[in-house]
Amino acid sequence: MTIRVLVVEDDPVAADAHALYVGRVDGFAVVGVAHSRAQAVRALERTEVDLLLLDLYLPDGHGLQLVRSLRAAGHSADVIAVTSARDLAIVREGVSLGVVQYVLKPFTFATLRDRLDRYAEFRAAAGEASGQDEVDRALAALRAPRTGTTLPKGLSGPTLEAVTRTLRESPEGLTATEAAAAVGISRITARRYLEHLVTAGRADRAPQYGQVGRPELQYRWLSSRR
């Protein structure tokens, strides 16, 4: 189902940009834009909203005050905070109120798309978990991607994004050879990125049988939503 998003941002230019970004992500639709806490409350009263993309610094009150009042009123919409605030005390308070992600300004479309995709995966998880591993995978969907200097030595963010996108768009899975051909890298390099996704809990692997010689590993994206 389409995830309905309310963009709450006091800067009109930034609000338009955020709405444009959200509209470019499959499975999401912007149902309203608010430039203040009061406008956001009115929008929530008349429109069904699943997710708030919320700036924390609003002209008529802090964004977390809005979230607190919504929770008190029984609104269950999830929140992704979009902010320049780096105060970890605010982050902890937001988590206690149900803020599921933080996106620090300034950010790129790719950054927001990644957070939205991860949120959609978390939201799509349903039913009873078979064990701890499945619970861990569901929660891991909300964790920020490992990019830049946090990636293992020799891996780059853009290539990881390309391999991830290729794997996600292949419901039957891919071998390292197939991923390499699709992305334009060597098989060994593709395997390193695929193994990184397995280690991060984003993919799994299994031997592909039925061919002459040694079976090749088949990698599959772990998600109920591609």
Side-chain angles (χ1 to χ4, degrees):
M1 295 180 62
T2 300
I3 296 173
R4 298 161 294 193
V5 181
L6 174 65
V7 174
V8 185
E9 166 63 58
D10 68 321
D11 183 337
V13 175
D16 289 344
H18 297 170
L20 178 64
Y21 281 175
V22 173
R24 291 171 58 190
V25 181
D26 290 342
F28 290 83
V30 175
V31 295
V33 176
H35 300 299
S36 67
R37 175 181 172 182
Q39 287 183 14
V41 170
R42 289 195 293 269
L44 287 163
E45 288 174 347
R46 64 176 182 264
T47 307
E48 291 291 330
V49 174
D50 302 307
L51 177 68
L52 274 70
L53 195 63
L54 176 64
D55 179 23
L56 293 187
Y57 295 115
L58 300 173
D60 53 351
H62 197 278
L64 292 186
Q65 294 176 344
L66 170 62
V67 179
R68 190 177 294 106
S69 65
L70 294 178
R71 296 296 180 249
H75 288 285
S76 59
D78 290 319
V79 178
I80 292 180
V82 177
T83 179
S84 58
R86 288 166 168 78
D87 187 339
L88 292 180
I90 293 178
V91 173
R92 289 193 296 271
E93 183 181 359
V95 170
S96 71
L97 293 172
V99 175
V100 297
Q101 285 274 16
Y102 276 81
V103 183
L104 292 178
K105 297 179 179 179
F107 58 86
T108 64
F109 167 65
T111 297
L112 181 61
R113 179 182 60 193
D114 178 86
R115 299 305 195 278
L116 292 177
D117 282 341
R118 287 170 179 269
Y119 167 73
E121 292 167 22
F122 173 76
R123 184 182 175 88
E128 184 173 346
S130 60
Q132 185 67 50
D133 288 347
E134 191 169 344
V135 172
D136 291 343
R137 282 198 298 270
L139 294 175
L142 291 175
R143 289 204 291 267
R146 300 178 64 189
T147 58
T149 59
T150 63
L151 281 172
K153 185 177 180 180
L155 301 190
S156 72
T159 303
L160 177 60
E161 182 178 345
V163 173
T164 298
R165 182 171 59 250
T166 299
L167 187 60
R168 289 175 59 141
E169 294 173 351
S170 304
E172 302 303 319
L174 289 171
T175 65
T177 300
E178 292 168 337
V183 177
I185 55 180
S186 72
R187 184 185 67 82
I188 294 176
T189 299
R191 186 173 184 275
R192 288 191 64 201
Y193 282 93
L194 291 167
E195 287 294 325
H196 169 71
L197 291 173
V198 171
T199 301
R202 313 308 303 144
D204 66 5
R205 61 176 180 265
Q208 182 184 38
Y209 296 100
Q211 299 180 0
V212 177
R214 185 177 179 180
E216 190 169 3
L217 291 174
Q218 184 91 355
Y219 295 85
R220 182 175 60 87
W221 182 254
L222 286 176
S223 172
S224 58
R225 176 185 181 274
R226 303 194 342 262

